[in-house]
Amino acid sequence: MLVALSIIIDGVAYGMILFMISVGLSVTMGLMRIMNLAHGGFALIGGAIAHALTVRLGIDFVPAAILSIMTAVLISFALERIVYRPIYRLGELGQVLATIGVTFIIIAIVNFFLGSTLLPIRPPSFMTGSVTLGFKTLPMHRLIVIGAGAMVLVFLYWLIERTRFGIYLRASVDNHATAAALGINTSKIYAVTFALGAGLAALGGMLGAELLPLEAYYPLRYMVLFLTVVAVGGLGTITGSFAAAMGLGILDTGSRYLLSEFGTIVFFLAVMLLLSARPRGLLGRA
Amino acid sequence: MKPLQMASVIAGLLAALVTCPSSAETIRVGIIATFSGPNAIWGKQFKEATEVYVAEHGDSINGDKIEFIYKDVAGPNADASKAAAQDLLVRDQVKYLGGFDFTPNALAVAPLITQAKVPAVIFNAATSSINKQSNFFLRTSFTLWQVSVPMANWAAANGAKTVITAVTDYNPGVDAETAFASAFEKKGGKIVSKIRMPLQTTDFAPFMQRIKDSGSDGVFAFLPAGPATFAFTKAYNEGGLKQAGIRFYGTGETDETTIDALGDQATGLVTAYHYSDAHESDLNTAFTAKLKQMFPSSRANLASVGAYDGVHLIYQMIKAAKGDGVKAIEAAKGLAWESPRGPVKLDPETRHVVQNVYIRRVEKDPQGRLINKEFDTVQQVPDLGFNP
């Protein structure tokens, strides 16, 4: 019983981090129909800037976090204008090749400025303590991560389902030409959505750094993990990504508690079974 | 000139060249390591330490110039290592090889160096069995047996009755687990449980819960340096293991290139290892100061000292035998010298370095920098995992 509770608590915290980093990928890949393998790169950019600000310049976590997310958003905005516009027009294979190239460039830049060692982020004092639940000690930062993930979920749901921006976005991706003819500025919608995805990745990269430590090769190291969440959840669905991240987080944590000698086999076996039953993911659109 | 005269002049010149005592040669040394990709830190540490040694000792021996050629193999990559060695031996005519960060990279060159009779000095790769694969392998790093057994003995002598082991599930991890468990049980201790953690894992909270629930006095951990170590030590602190009094025993987890990133959470961790950049000796002070002067952002670690001593060994072999590999190996056997890590000698049978293993605790030095402070020494430990 206690083990089951531990698995659920640790799994939910792990799942929330997966959700925060991957949901942006689900939004750009599903809603904008672009295979953006450089997504983890934005998580790295956010984390690397936060590292430089908190550790090397000694700035407090909260202003540093806001500054790094804003920088990541600005960089992604510029990249969307210059690099991604031509990529939209490429076929799927072209998009995969081009965005993996972008990933390598991001890695090389971070490597050049900050080296290939770990990039820790100095956490604020309110994030460092532990909470004792009697049977289990839970680090404070995990509780904060769970809270932040829940807020992101609510915010995105509201944004896409309940606002004018959401209506425009859904219209633009469903039928680009008609939406444009009706006076929707589709390229602006795309740019904002892309930047939103990057901002979420930066937030996830920073908050998740305790579990998925940041270093220059971060985007490649965890690429499979993020893609798995999106594939299992189904493209373009926020609730799907959430369900997938939670499910995979709890499953992976459970296998570590009970079957660690099987390594990651349990995880990938479950993913294979699920995808063979539902090739479009849990909540994927037909 | 008539052809005959021409021939005799050339012959005369050749003879002069061969017999001339001052004819300077260039002796090339090939360094095979990882200079790019996620593990590029190894090549960087090797190269910087090599350059420090050359800066201190010059680049010529008895008039012969020593030239280093660096080859990148981009990570644990046996094929690339073999190809690089072939290239170095055939095209560049190197007389010595050095480097080798990963075990498979060293194993891949064993047949080549045996055939070419070229000594290869291993700066890091730490599996005991490597030196058995060729009589031309020499090693200046360490083996997991060499540091894990002293850790177990020290834990047993200092109050640990029960220990749980938690290692990453790959060869070095299994090596460390076997070495620690066998030595600890020999001292009357009890291994409560053995956890093997998947290589890809970075969330260690589940393992911490299991370690805590086991109720043992301590945990012996082995993980590859980098993200895994960072997340593990973090989880060790945050999972409340430190407060619960479960002591941490390790080996290379707190190496100098990782320790700054670990931050304050590393304070108090006890490890057994052969090198700390805070080792107190004049030679080490000189070595770390020179490194700092030449590469201000660098910090010496196990890779630096492995390379520094490796180059020292190569210099000694060149002094004794120039480019003759067989004579060089004979000269190297039993060689003893003072290293930045303390007194070392090359075991004539295993061709592996015999060295002190230090028990250290992570502390802050007066400048506020985290260091591995040595407080106990196990004298002159050989490679305990070598079985001929």
Side-chain angles (χ1 to χ4, degrees):
Chain A
M1 188 58 212
L2 286 185
V3 172
L5 268 174
S6 297
I7 291 176
I8 289 171
I9 294 172
D10 283 331
V12 166
Y14 186 50
M16 277 295 184
I17 287 173
L18 292 184
F19 168 66
M20 268 196 287
I21 301 179
S22 320
V23 69
L25 187 60
S26 174
V27 168
T28 45
M29 270 184 34
L31 294 184
M32 299 170 65
R33 307 282 151 84
I34 162 164
M35 302 290 138
N36 183 19
L37 294 189
H39 186 74
F42 292 108
L44 173 66
I45 290 175
I49 297 170
H51 161 80
L53 292 176
T54 58
V55 175
R56 308 212 173 178
L57 298 176
I59 298 174
D60 277 339
F61 179 80
V62 175
I66 294 169
L67 213 62
S68 1
I69 292 176
M70 278 165 45
T71 320
V73 166
L74 281 179
I75 292 174
S76 73
F77 206 73
L79 273 180
E80 205 268 343
R81 293 260 135 153
I82 304 160
V83 179
Y84 277 88
R85 289 272 160 99
I87 294 180
Y88 291 153
R89 287 192 288 273
L90 301 175
E92 283 180 357
L93 181 63
Q95 291 182 348
V96 165
L97 292 177
T99 54
I100 200 131
V102 173
T103 312
F104 281 121
I105 293 169
I106 295 174
I107 291 174
I109 292 172
V110 172
N111 207 350
F112 179 78
F113 284 109
L114 299 170
S116 60
T117 46
L118 283 168
L119 306 171
I121 298 171
R122 193 166 51 85
S125 49
F126 62 83
M127 248 171 103
T128 47
S130 299
V131 183
T132 310
L133 302 176
F135 67 101
K136 181 167 178 58
T137 315
L138 198 66
M140 194 65 204
H141 76 80
R142 293 209 174 192
L143 289 178
I144 291 173
V145 161
I146 293 176
M151 271 156 62
V152 166
L153 178 69
V154 173
F155 167 74
L156 280 179
Y157 188 79
W158 169 80
L159 185 76
I160 291 177
E161 301 293 333
R162 295 274 180 275
T163 64
R164 188 164 292 268
F165 171 78
I167 295 168
Y168 286 174
L169 173 62
R170 280 179 285 140
S172 307
V173 296
D174 280 345
N175 195 325
H176 185 98
T178 313
L182 289 170
I184 297 172
N185 187 344
T186 52
S187 72
K188 201 161 133 195
I189 296 283
Y190 272 29
V192 171
T193 311
F194 189 81
L196 176 74
L200 285 173
L203 175 70
M206 243 178 325
L207 286 179
E210 309 282 336
L211 285 185
L212 307 177
L214 289 157
E215 31 96 44
Y217 284 81
Y218 179 92
L220 285 184
R221 202 186 283 269
Y222 303 116
M223 183 184 280
V224 174
L225 197 58
F226 307 148
L227 289 174
T228 307
V229 174
V230 175
V232 169
L235 286 174
T237 125
I238 289 156
T239 33
S241 287
F242 182 74
M246 283 305 138
L248 292 173
I250 292 171
L251 177 79
D252 202 20
T253 306
S255 78
R256 262 174 248 174
Y257 265 97
L258 307 170
L259 300 161
S260 65
E261 61 273 29
F262 291 102
T264 36
I265 295 173
V266 178
F267 182 83
F268 286 112
L269 207 63
V271 170
M272 269 167 59
L273 287 176
L274 191 129
L275 287 181
S276 56
R278 290 189 65 87
R280 289 184 177 277
L282 283 175
L283 298 175
R285 296 174 189 176
Chain B
M1 255 191 281
K2 285 184 181 127
L4 196 65
Q5 268 178 307
M6 177 87 140
S8 64
V9 168
I10 290 173
L13 276 174
L14 277 175
L17 260 175
V18 172
T19 52
C20 177
S22 67
S23 72
E25 268 183 60
T26 296
I27 298 178
R28 293 196 187 88
V29 179
I31 305 287
I32 297 175
T34 305
F35 291 95
S36 64
N39 298 303
I41 187 89
W42 289 106
K44 174 179 173 286
Q45 297 289 90
F46 285 174
K47 187 162 189 239
E48 288 175 353
T50 304
E51 285 173 11
V52 167
Y53 190 89
V54 173
E56 285 176 346
H57 298 85
D59 63 351
S60 64
I61 296 168
N62 301 331
D64 298 328
K65 202 169 149 32
I66 317 293
E67 187 189 325
F68 289 90
I69 302 169
Y70 298 92
K71 284 263 191 244
D72 180 18
V73 292
N77 189 344
D79 283 349
S81 173
K82 195 169 180 185
Q86 215 139 24
D87 203 28
L88 287 165
L89 291 168
V90 175
R91 199 129 54 108
D92 300 309
Q93 299 279 314
V94 298
K95 298 293 182 211
Y96 296 89
L97 285 175
F100 307 106
D101 26 24
F102 299 99
T103 296
N105 296 359
L107 288 176
V109 306
L112 292 177
I113 58 169
T114 310
Q115 199 187 355
K117 297 191 169 58
V118 165
V121 183
I122 298 165
F123 294 174
N124 180 62
T127 313
S128 290
S129 60
I130 299 174
N131 281 15
K132 272 194 295 188
Q133 306 307 316
S134 168
N135 291 329
F136 288 86
F137 272 134
L138 310 143
R139 181 161 47 191
T140 53
S141 52
F142 73 108
T143 64
L144 288 159
W145 277 84
Q146 199 172 23
V147 293
S148 301
V149 170
M151 187 74 264
N153 291 341
W154 187 85
N158 286 274
K161 300 266 178 287
T162 53
V163 166
I164 182 166
T165 62
V167 302
T168 298
D169 197 0
Y170 72 140
N171 272 346
V174 175
D175 248 21
E177 177 196 276
T178 320
F180 185 93
S182 64
F184 192 65
E185 279 169 347
K186 221 173 267 169
K187 292 279 174 186
K190 186 170 178 298
I191 299 291
V192 180
S193 175
K194 294 175 179 175
I195 303 178
R196 291 192 181 167
M197 305 176 288
L199 192 54
Q200 305 298 338
T201 299
T202 47
D203 177 14
F204 292 96
F207 302 115
M208 291 307 149
Q209 194 65 36
R210 275 174 63 184
I211 292 166
K212 208 172 164 189
D213 293 344
S214 76
S216 54
D217 302 334
V219 53
F220 172 75
F222 177 87
L223 301 113
T229 302
F230 176 79
F232 188 90
T233 51
K234 190 122 206 151
Y236 169 79
N237 279 279
E238 286 174 343
L241 272 74
K242 208 180 211 173
Q243 290 93 311
I246 298 174
R247 274 162 292 177
F248 179 98
Y249 304 114
T251 54
E253 281 69 36
T254 57
D255 102 270
E256 282 71 18
T257 55
T258 322
I259 198 170
D260 288 326
L262 295 183
D264 289 342
Q265 51 161 330
T267 320
L269 299 185
V270 174
T271 54
Y273 219 42
H274 59 292
Y275 180 69
S276 154
D277 77 333
H279 177 70
E280 284 169 17
S281 77
D282 292 344
L283 192 64
N284 189 48
T285 313
F287 168 58
T288 49
K290 187 82 186 166
L291 184 76
K292 190 100 212 148
Q293 183 208 330
M294 290 173 67
F295 308 97
S297 63
S298 278
R299 228 182 131 166
N301 73 342
L302 72 149
S304 322
V305 83
Y308 188 83
D309 285 332
V311 175
H312 176 81
L313 189 59
I314 291 171
Y315 268 48
Q316 298 313 306
M317 289 193 282
I318 294 174
K319 244 176 219 165
K322 262 195 160 185
D324 184 334
V326 179
K327 253 164 75 185
I329 291 282
E330 284 314 309
K333 285 180 181 172
L335 207 64
W337 69 95
E338 176 73 17
S339 149
R341 64 184 108 170
V344 297
K345 87 169 185 274
L346 205 71
D347 187 322
E349 193 205 343
T350 62
R351 286 161 278 108
H352 174 82
V353 65
V354 178
Q355 58 193 334
N356 291 348
V357 173
Y358 305 92
I359 314 292
R360 322 91 58 84
R361 186 180 291 119
V362 178
E363 286 177 10
K364 275 203 168 133
D365 73 354
Q367 287 86 46
R369 197 175 66 136
L370 287 169
I371 54 161
N372 288 301
K373 174 86 179 154
E374 298 170 346
F375 63 90
D376 205 348
T377 307
V378 185
Q379 300 285 344
Q380 299 296 296
V381 185
D383 173 15
L384 301 162
F386 192 85
N387 39 4

